[in-house]
Amino acid sequence: MNRRLLVAGLIGIAFAAAAYALMAPAPESTSRPNVAVAVELSPAERGSLVTRRRFAGNLEPAAEFQVAPKVGGQILEVLVDIGDSVARGDIVTRLDDAEFQQSVAQARAELAVAEARLQEAVSAANLATRRLDRIERLEARGVASASELDDASGEAQAQQATVAVTRAQRDQAEAALNSAEVRLGYTRVRADWPGEDETRLVGERMVDAGDTVAANTPLLSIVDIDQLRAVIEVPQSLYGGLAVGDPAQILPPGRPDSEALKARISRISPRFDPESRRTRVELIVDNQDRRLAAGMFVQVGLESRRVEDALIVPRAALVNRQGRQGVFTVAPDADSARFVAVEVALESDDRAALRGVESLDGPVVVLGQDQLTDGAAITRAGQAQRS
């Protein structure tokens, strides 16, 4: 019995030893290789950094002129079409002028009648004046009576009055002719806009030949797109920081940020919409190269914050280590990275401006920094240069 107990105890001890051997941790290696981390570098640079808020807006022509006739009639010919260049004063549309030609002919005939009547009245007045002179001489010699002198004087005065009336009628007929000729000229509709620009483009055509239009009916839209006006609406929070002349950017859809166009604020409305609590802001953008067109949808970037003369690094270089924000720098002849704690003053797009940092020992790590610790060995995979 004792022998069986002894054998069972020995077997238990053997199993326990085997289990301990299986569960015991492996001995630690006496040395651990220091593997270099492949990194990419980018230099820090000194300059200014701007943050912008973007707003959706529409482009409008800087100036637009609606061509409309001053008289009604049937359109005989439209001489321009959309996209055509028009010089100030060019005839762009012709109306049927038969009726107006007839009015001119009638006014010219009435003027001729008035001229003839005036000449007749002047002749009669001259005769009356000569008769009065003769009666006055005869009356002075006692040959003519006082009553004859009175009659001659009255006749002369009456004839002078007739001359004045017929001269006024002649002037009236002449004015009627001038008016008829002016109205005839209105059948040749001109693009005559105010301003200094001598040429514009046809932006819209509203009529065709054969249409009958009333006076002041828009026929064509003539636009100036050498400069365009971008219109946006901004909230109250930005209103106090905006001023006429402030710089801005215009970015048409589908174009990268690098192709943003320079603009400036030209007008700021002093009134907010009571429902949206936004106000209208207009910006002017140069369009001499005609890359933009009126009616386009654009993104407008307005400056919200700016930092001048700051040390700027790529945002990708920023890391957090033990609750501190910083960057890893690499001295030009070093094979290890050093963690430098920094304070960020402003971030915009892919760059960050640092506060209170004059310089860094070398370029910053922009790829591979997630695997780095202070003093970690590195190998340079390439150094990206910023343009």
Side-chain angles (χ1 to χ4, degrees):
M1 181 69 177
N2 292 334
R3 185 176 180 181
R4 291 179 179 176
L5 290 174
L6 178 62
V7 172
L10 291 175
I11 294 174
I13 292 173
F15 273 109
Y20 177 80
L22 291 174
M23 297 175 63
E28 293 186 2
S29 174
T30 58
S31 63
R32 186 172 184 176
N34 187 12
V35 180
V37 178
V39 298
E40 287 189 4
L41 308 176
S42 179
E45 59 185 14
R46 184 162 291 278
S48 60
L49 191 63
V50 177
T51 58
R52 291 183 172 86
R53 287 189 60 177
R54 289 193 175 181
F55 298 89
N58 294 301
L59 293 180
E60 298 177 355
E64 184 172 5
F65 176 75
Q66 297 285 340
V67 178
K70 295 183 178 181
V71 295
Q74 186 179 40
I75 297 176
L76 290 183
E77 188 177 11
V78 181
L79 302 175
V80 294
D81 212 331
I82 56 173
D84 290 347
S85 179
V86 177
R88 180 161 46 192
D90 281 356
I91 298 174
V92 293
T93 308
R94 290 178 54 245
L95 302 179
D96 182 9
D97 62 357
E99 182 179 348
F100 298 95
Q101 291 279 10
Q102 183 63 32
S103 296
V104 169
Q106 181 178 351
R108 189 172 286 119
E110 290 175 352
L111 176 60
V113 171
E115 289 280 4
R117 288 175 178 170
L118 177 59
Q119 291 176 5
E120 182 181 9
V122 169
S123 297
N126 289 336
L127 288 174
T129 300
R130 288 196 295 270
R131 180 172 179 272
L132 176 61
D133 290 341
R134 186 172 64 255
I135 296 298
E136 286 177 342
R137 289 194 300 270
L138 291 174
E139 194 271 338
R141 292 193 306 224
V143 176
S145 65
S147 61
E148 289 177 325
L149 179 60
D150 290 341
D151 291 342
S153 177
E155 177 66 18
Q157 291 177 2
Q159 290 300 330
Q160 290 297 333
T162 301
V163 169
V165 171
T166 54
R167 180 173 284 113
Q169 291 173 342
R170 189 278 312 270
D171 292 343
Q172 188 177 33
E174 187 174 25
L177 174 59
N178 292 337
S179 178
E181 289 176 340
V182 168
R183 292 176 65 81
L184 175 62
Y186 289 160
T187 62
R188 298 183 295 275
V189 184
R190 299 179 182 272
D192 195 7
W193 58 83
E196 298 180 356
D197 50 323
E198 294 297 327
T199 60
R200 290 185 182 180
L201 298 179
V202 178
E204 186 178 1
R205 169 177 169 172
M206 298 84 157
V207 294
D208 292 308
D211 292 348
T212 299
V213 296
N216 300 319
T217 300
L219 308 179
L220 301 164
S221 173
I222 309 295
V223 296
D224 174 17
I225 62 168
D226 288 343
Q227 285 187 327
L228 290 173
R229 180 172 55 239
V231 179
I232 60 174
E233 293 186 345
V234 301
Q236 299 179 80
S237 58
L238 282 186
Y239 183 76
L242 299 179
V244 173
D246 282 355
Q249 289 185 337
I250 302 292
L251 185 63
R255 295 186 184 179
D257 290 353
S258 59
E259 293 187 10
L261 305 175
K262 293 182 179 180
R264 59 179 174 82
I265 296 177
S266 60
R267 294 183 182 277
I268 302 173
S269 172
R271 180 183 181 276
F272 278 82
D273 184 278
E275 295 183 0
S276 66
R277 298 300 176 185
R278 291 175 174 262
T279 190
R280 178 184 175 102
V281 175
E282 297 181 0
L283 306 97
I284 292 295
V285 57
D286 186 77
N287 191 42
Q288 296 286 341
D289 56 4
R290 306 289 171 86
R291 296 175 65 187
L292 303 174
M296 273 187 173
F297 169 83
V298 292
Q299 292 287 332
V300 177
L302 296 181
E303 287 189 11
S304 57
R305 289 186 60 195
R306 173 182 286 269
V307 173
E308 301 286 355
D309 192 28
L311 194 66
I312 299 174
V313 299
R315 286 184 65 181
L318 298 175
V319 295
N320 283 285
R321 291 293 184 270
Q322 297 179 347
R324 296 188 302 166
Q325 190 174 40
V327 296
F328 283 99
T329 65
V330 178
D333 56 352
D335 293 326
S336 61
R338 185 170 72 89
F339 178 79
V340 178
V342 298
E343 184 179 355
V344 177
L346 187 65
E347 295 184 21
S348 178
D349 297 330
D350 60 347
R351 300 192 298 167
L354 307 182
R355 179 182 289 115
V357 180
E358 294 298 326
S359 63
L360 296 172
D361 292 338
V364 295
V365 179
V366 294
L367 184 63
Q369 68 273 30
D370 293 339
Q371 305 175 45
L372 294 178
T373 58
D374 190 25
I378 59 99
T379 177
R380 293 173 173 79
Q383 184 169 345
Q385 299 294 332
R386 295 182 65 88
S387 57

